[in-house]
Coordinates of all heavy atoms in Angstrom, one line a residue:
Chain B
S271 N 49.7 2.2 22.8 CA 50.8 3.1 23.0 C 51.2 3.9 21.8 O 51.8 4.9 21.9 CB 52.0 2.3 23.5 OG 52.5 1.5 22.4
G272 N 50.7 3.5 20.6 CA 51.0 4.3 19.4 C 50.0 5.3 19.0 O 50.1 6.0 18.0
E273 N 48.9 5.4 19.8 CA 47.8 6.3 19.5 C 48.1 7.7 20.0 O 48.8 7.9 21.0 CB 46.5 5.8 20.1 CG 46.0 4.5 19.6 CD 45.5 4.5 18.2 OE1 44.9 5.5 17.8 OE2 45.8 3.6 17.4
A274 N 47.6 8.7 19.3 CA 47.9 10.1 19.6 C 47.3 10.5 21.0 O 46.3 10.0 21.4 CB 47.3 11.0 18.6
S275 N 48.1 11.3 21.7 CA 47.7 11.6 23.1 C 48.1 13.0 23.5 O 49.3 13.4 23.2 CB 48.3 10.6 24.0 OG 48.4 11.1 25.3
A276 N 47.3 13.8 24.1 CA 47.6 15.1 24.7 C 46.6 15.4 25.7 O 45.4 15.1 25.6 CB 47.7 16.2 23.6
F277 N 46.9 16.1 26.8 CA 46.0 16.4 27.8 C 45.5 17.9 27.7 O 46.3 18.8 27.6 CB 46.6 16.2 29.2 CG 45.7 16.6 30.4 CD1 44.8 15.7 30.8 CD2 45.8 17.8 31.0 CE1 44.0 16.0 31.9 CE2 45.0 18.2 32.0 CZ 44.1 17.2 32.5
T278 N 44.2 18.1 27.7 CA 43.7 19.4 27.9 C 42.4 19.3 28.7 O 41.6 18.4 28.5 CB 43.3 20.1 26.5 OG1 42.5 19.2 25.7 CG2 44.6 20.6 25.8
L279 N 42.2 20.3 29.5 CA 41.0 20.3 30.4 C 40.6 21.8 30.6 O 41.4 22.5 31.3 CB 41.2 19.6 31.7 CG 40.1 19.6 32.7 CD1 38.8 19.0 32.2 CD2 40.5 18.9 34.0
E280 N 39.5 22.2 30.0 CA 39.1 23.6 30.2 C 38.1 23.7 31.4 O 37.3 22.8 31.5 CB 38.5 24.1 28.9 CG 38.4 25.6 28.9 CD 38.0 26.2 27.6 OE1 38.3 25.6 26.6 OE2 37.3 27.2 27.6
L281 N 38.3 24.7 32.2 CA 37.3 24.8 33.3 C 36.4 26.0 33.0 O 36.8 27.2 33.2 CB 38.1 25.1 34.7 CG 39.0 24.0 35.1 CD1 39.7 24.4 36.4 CD2 38.3 22.7 35.3
P282 N 35.3 25.8 32.4 CA 34.5 26.9 31.9 C 33.8 27.6 33.1 O 33.7 27.1 34.2 CB 33.4 26.2 31.1 CG 33.3 24.8 31.6 CD 34.7 24.5 32.1
P283 N 33.4 28.9 32.8 CA 32.7 29.6 33.9 C 31.4 29.0 34.3 O 30.8 28.3 33.5 CB 32.5 31.0 33.3 CG 32.6 30.8 31.8 CD 33.5 29.7 31.6
Y284 N 31.0 29.2 35.6 CA 29.7 28.6 36.0 C 28.6 29.4 35.4 O 28.7 30.6 35.1 CB 29.6 28.7 37.5 CG 30.6 27.8 38.2 CD1 31.8 28.3 38.7 CD2 30.3 26.5 38.4 CE1 32.7 27.5 39.4 CE2 31.2 25.6 39.0 CZ 32.4 26.1 39.5 OH 33.3 25.3 40.2
R285 N 27.5 28.8 35.1 CA 26.3 29.5 34.6 C 25.0 28.8 35.0 O 25.1 27.7 35.5 CB 26.4 29.6 33.1 CG 26.5 28.2 32.5 CD 26.6 28.3 31.0 NE 26.6 26.9 30.5 CZ 26.9 26.5 29.3 NH1 27.2 27.4 28.4 NH2 26.8 25.2 29.0
R286 N 24.0 29.6 34.8 CA 22.7 29.0 35.2 C 22.2 28.0 34.1 O 22.3 28.3 32.9 CB 21.6 30.2 35.2 CG 20.3 29.8 35.9 CD 19.5 31.0 36.1 NE 20.1 32.0 37.0 CZ 20.1 33.3 36.8 NH1 19.5 33.8 35.8 NH2 20.7 34.1 37.7
P287 N 21.9 26.8 34.6 CA 21.5 25.8 33.6 C 20.2 26.2 32.8 O 19.3 26.8 33.4 CB 21.2 24.5 34.4 CG 21.4 24.9 35.8 CD 21.7 26.3 35.9
S288 N 20.1 26.0 31.5 CA 18.9 26.3 30.8 C 18.1 25.0 30.7 O 18.4 24.1 29.9 CB 19.3 26.8 29.4 OG 20.1 25.9 28.8
V289 N 17.0 25.0 31.4 CA 16.2 23.7 31.6 C 15.7 23.2 30.3 O 15.7 22.0 30.1 CB 15.1 24.0 32.7 CG1 14.3 22.7 32.9 CG2 15.7 24.4 34.0
L290 N 15.2 24.0 29.5 CA 14.5 23.5 28.3 C 15.5 22.8 27.4 O 15.3 21.7 26.9 CB 14.0 24.7 27.5 CG 12.6 25.2 27.9 CD1 12.1 26.3 27.1 CD2 11.6 24.0 27.9
R291 N 16.7 23.4 27.3 CA 17.8 22.8 26.5 C 18.2 21.4 27.1 O 18.4 20.4 26.4 CB 19.0 23.7 26.4 CG 19.9 23.4 25.2 CD 21.0 24.4 25.1 NE 21.8 24.4 26.4 CZ 22.8 23.5 26.6 NH1 23.1 22.6 25.6 NH2 23.4 23.5 27.7
I292 N 18.3 21.4 28.4 CA 18.6 20.2 29.1 C 17.6 19.1 28.8 O 18.0 17.9 28.5 CB 18.7 20.4 30.6 CG1 20.0 21.2 30.9 CG2 18.8 19.1 31.4 CD1 20.1 21.6 32.4
L293 N 16.3 19.4 29.0 CA 15.3 18.4 28.7 C 15.4 17.9 27.3 O 15.4 16.7 27.0 CB 13.9 19.0 28.9 CG 13.5 19.1 30.4 CD1 12.2 19.7 30.6 CD2 13.6 17.8 31.1
Y294 N 15.7 18.8 26.4 CA 15.8 18.4 25.0 C 17.0 17.5 24.8 O 16.8 16.4 24.3 CB 15.9 19.6 24.1 CG 16.0 19.2 22.6 CD1 14.9 18.9 21.9 CD2 17.3 19.1 22.0 CE1 15.0 18.5 20.6 CE2 17.4 18.7 20.7 CZ 16.3 18.4 20.0 OH 16.4 17.9 18.7
T295 N 18.2 18.0 25.2 CA 19.4 17.1 24.9 C 19.3 15.8 25.6 O 19.7 14.8 25.1 CB 20.7 17.8 25.3 OG1 20.6 18.3 26.6 CG2 21.0 19.0 24.4
S296 N 18.9 15.8 26.9 CA 18.9 14.5 27.6 C 17.8 13.6 27.2 O 18.0 12.4 27.2 CB 18.9 14.8 29.1 OG 17.8 15.5 29.5
L297 N 16.7 14.1 26.8 CA 15.6 13.2 26.4 C 15.8 12.8 25.0 O 15.6 11.6 24.7 CB 14.2 13.9 26.6 CG 13.8 14.0 28.1 CD1 12.4 14.6 28.2 CD2 13.8 12.6 28.8
I298 N 16.0 13.7 24.1 CA 16.1 13.3 22.7 C 17.5 12.7 22.4 O 17.6 11.5 21.9 CB 16.0 14.6 21.8 CG1 14.6 15.2 22.0 CG2 16.0 14.1 20.3 CD1 13.4 14.3 21.8
D299 N 18.6 13.4 22.7 CA 19.9 12.9 22.4 C 20.3 11.6 23.1 O 20.9 10.7 22.5 CB 21.0 14.0 22.6 CG 20.9 15.0 21.6 OD1 20.0 15.0 20.8 OD2 21.8 15.9 21.6
R300 N 19.9 11.6 24.4 CA 20.4 10.4 25.1 C 19.3 9.4 25.3 O 19.4 8.2 24.8 CB 21.0 10.9 26.5 CG 22.3 11.6 26.3 CD 22.8 12.2 27.5 NE 24.0 12.9 27.2 CZ 24.5 13.9 28.0 NH1 23.9 14.2 29.1 NH2 25.6 14.5 27.7
T301 N 18.2 9.7 26.0 CA 17.2 8.7 26.4 C 16.6 8.0 25.2 O 16.7 6.8 25.0 CB 16.2 9.4 27.3 OG1 16.8 10.1 28.3 CG2 15.3 8.3 27.9
V302 N 16.0 8.8 24.3 CA 15.3 8.3 23.2 C 16.2 7.5 22.2 O 15.9 6.4 21.8 CB 14.5 9.4 22.4 CG1 13.9 8.8 21.1 CG2 13.5 10.0 23.3
F303 N 17.4 8.1 22.1 CA 18.4 7.5 21.2 C 18.9 6.1 21.7 O 18.8 5.1 21.0 CB 19.6 8.5 21.2 CG 20.9 8.0 20.6 CD1 21.0 8.0 19.2 CD2 21.9 7.6 21.4 CE1 22.2 7.6 18.6 CE2 23.1 7.2 20.8 CZ 23.2 7.2 19.4
V304 N 19.2 6.1 23.0 CA 19.6 4.8 23.6 C 18.5 3.8 23.6 O 18.6 2.6 23.3 CB 20.2 5.0 25.0 CG1 20.4 3.7 25.7 CG2 21.4 5.8 24.9
L305 N 17.3 4.3 24.0 CA 16.1 3.4 24.1 C 15.8 2.8 22.7 O 15.5 1.7 22.5 CB 14.9 4.2 24.6 CG 13.8 3.4 25.1 CD1 14.1 2.7 26.4 CD2 12.5 4.3 25.3

Side-chain angles (χ1 to χ4, degrees):
Chain B
S271 66
E273 298 290 322
S275 159
F277 177 84
T278 50
L279 173 61
E280 197 172 326
L281 303 178
Y284 293 99
R285 57 177 183 195
R286 191 171 299 143
S288 55
V289 177
L290 278 180
R291 202 178 58 83
I292 287 174
L293 282 180
Y294 180 82
T295 51
S296 56
L297 286 183
I298 302 300
D299 283 8
R300 288 175 184 156
T301 311
V302 173
F303 170 79
V304 170
L305 196 70

